[in-house]
Amino acid sequence: IFGGFIADRFLGYRPSILLGGGLMAAGLLLLLIPNLSWFLIGLSVIVVGNGLFKPNISAMVGQLYAPDDARRDSGFTIFYMGINAGAALAPLICGSLIGKYFGLKWGFCAAGIGMILGLVMFHWLTGWLGHIGAALQPAETINRVLKVLLGCVAAVPVIYLMLSQAKLVSFILMGLFGLLTIYFIGSGARSGDRVQLDRYIAMLLLFLAKIVFWGMFEQAGSSLNFFAKDHVNAPFDFSVFQSFNPVFILLLGPVFAWAWPRLEARGMNPSIPRKFAIALIVVAISFTSLVWTIGNLQGPDGKLPWQMLALAYLINTMGELCLSPIGLSMVTKLAAPKDVGMAMGAWFMCTAIGNFAAGAIAAHASG
């Protein structure tokens, strides 16, 4: 949220992305230090950097399209495929390859180097973007970056405290969601534009739908991971399942990106709320299929065929493609131009709330 606000009002998107990515790389390299306190400091630096990076690069994608451009949803789907290309490769390169044979800390190092290479590529090719995301005050950019960097350094101890006190995070997340609700509804009311107020109310309702979806979907990194380790018969290491979802995104992303404009041309493209509803139904079907598998397909050793867990990941991915890239597009459509970065930050905060709920559910299930 703060990263989006800083980009909207003070720094601009490109400088925010470069600074945020640099901090993320530094945080990853700090994970090389074999000490729990330094590990948490490294994670804190990554969190602060991600706050500047993640909402603003998504907001820039939205600026590439006119508000009524039917290609916007497909553009975000392609962007989402890029994210998942990294998500597919990361567990294999940093974990199964470098981490397994050279030590996990060198996997973190590889991720940091990858982040630096990504920033070099981004800076090198910014000419393709024209004026999109440019610094708000080019003559003052360096001075403003230094001020924001000092603020980031000051934020690291706060994030460190939050990582050390997990229960505190739930109250902070709920409090921030309440404050954002007040801000967006107040902003819509102050604008005097009834349409903008209705857009903000719709956006907040879709935020709630996203929290529910992510609370289920993010079992992938926790309870489904434990499930794969202990109850699934697979000819490969259980950690490979973590690459299934991004691989399915890469395979299905072009299909969904192709489908939305074609459906639009035929007057059959579901509205954004309907796409969100489809996502919730699909992820429910995925977990129902696992419940059926547990009741009907256990082998003599009590384990389940890995293909059924792979099918569940495939179904979950279909739901994700109906919600996540569409939601990114939705935020850039519904938020007023002055609030796009902060609204995108709120969108990702809903991911955090969903992740927190998923962790609580997984802890209860594994306990």
Side-chain angles (χ1 to χ4, degrees):
I1 296 167
F2 295 123
F5 179 83
I6 287 167
D8 283 336
R9 309 293 175 85
F10 185 71
L11 201 54
Y13 295 111
R14 289 188 211 168
S16 298
I17 290 166
L18 290 168
L19 177 58
L23 286 168
M24 290 167 69
L28 285 161
L29 295 176
L30 284 174
L31 300 184
L32 287 164
I33 302 173
N35 176 276
L36 179 59
S37 295
W38 277 104
F39 188 83
L40 290 175
I41 291 171
L43 288 180
S44 302
V45 175
I46 293 170
V47 169
V48 173
N50 199 36
L52 283 168
F53 185 96
K54 193 165 186 175
N56 297 319
I57 201 162
S58 302
M60 280 182 61
V61 175
Q63 293 180 348
L64 296 172
Y65 300 91
D68 57 349
D69 193 329
R71 299 173 301 168
R72 179 186 291 259
D73 288 358
S74 297
F76 270 101
T77 301
I78 295 169
F79 168 69
Y80 205 65
M81 287 170 60
I83 295 171
N84 281 276
L89 291 172
L92 301 177
I93 295 175
C94 300
S96 299
L97 182 61
I98 295 175
K100 181 177 180 180
Y101 293 104
F102 300 99
L104 289 177
K105 67 178 183 179
W106 296 110
F108 299 136
C109 181
I113 293 171
M115 187 74 239
I116 293 169
L117 292 175
L119 292 175
V120 171
M121 181 67 72
F122 176 77
H123 183 66
W124 182 35
L125 297 177
T126 48
W128 291 10
L129 297 171
H131 67 282
I132 301 296
L136 296 181
Q137 295 290 338
E140 300 179 23
T141 298
I142 294 178
N143 185 40
R144 292 190 175 199
V145 165
L146 290 174
K147 289 180 179 178
V148 174
L149 178 59
L150 288 174
C152 291
V153 172
V156 168
V158 178
I159 303 299
Y160 182 93
L161 175 64
M162 291 169 65
L163 290 174
S164 305
Q165 303 290 330
K167 288 185 178 179
L168 179 64
V169 175
S170 63
F171 296 110
I172 293 173
L173 288 172
M174 292 295 100
L176 284 174
F177 189 83
L179 290 173
L180 281 169
T181 300
I182 295 170
Y183 172 81
F184 284 123
I185 292 177
S187 178
R190 287 193 303 273
S191 70
D193 184 348
R194 177 68 194 188
V195 173
Q196 186 58 57
L197 176 60
D198 289 344
R199 286 175 176 172
Y200 277 138
I201 292 172
M203 185 177 75
L204 290 166
L205 290 172
L206 293 174
F207 281 177
L208 290 174
K210 184 194 181 182
I211 291 169
V212 174
F213 176 86
W214 234 248
M216 295 185 285
F217 180 87
E218 285 299 340
Q219 298 302 312
S222 50
S223 59
L224 284 184
N225 214 24
F226 301 140
F227 182 73
K229 179 182 179 183
D230 298 329
H231 302 292
V232 174
N233 190 7
F236 44 78
D237 187 75
F238 76 95
S239 65
V240 174
F241 280 105
Q242 293 302 300
S243 290
F244 275 39
N245 168 245
V247 168
F248 287 143
I249 290 281
L250 292 172
L251 294 174
L252 295 177
V255 178
F256 279 72
W258 172 86
W260 300 135
R262 271 69 184 177
L263 291 172
E264 180 74 24
R266 292 169 173 77
M268 298 171 60
N269 192 15
S271 65
I272 290 176
R274 285 194 176 116
K275 288 174 181 172
F276 275 50
I278 291 169
L280 289 167
I281 293 168
V282 166
V283 77
I285 291 171
S286 167
F287 283 101
T288 301
S289 72
L290 283 178
V291 172
W292 181 88
T293 300
I294 293 168
N296 296 276
L297 295 180
Q298 287 192 46
D301 58 357
K303 293 195 173 184
L304 308 173
W306 68 269
Q307 293 89 340
M308 294 305 296
L309 182 56
L311 177 63
Y313 274 108
L314 175 61
I315 298 172
N316 274 346
T317 300
M318 293 178 182
E320 183 183 5
L321 284 167
C322 288
L323 182 140
S324 204
I326 305 305
L328 295 172
S329 174
M330 174 271 296
V331 170
T332 62
K333 287 179 184 176
L334 298 183
K338 67 182 181 66
D339 291 329
V340 169
M342 191 160 61
M344 195 64 75
W347 169 259
F348 288 117
M349 188 195 71
C350 292
T351 302
I353 297 173
N355 274 321
F356 190 90
I361 293 168
H364 177 75
S366 62

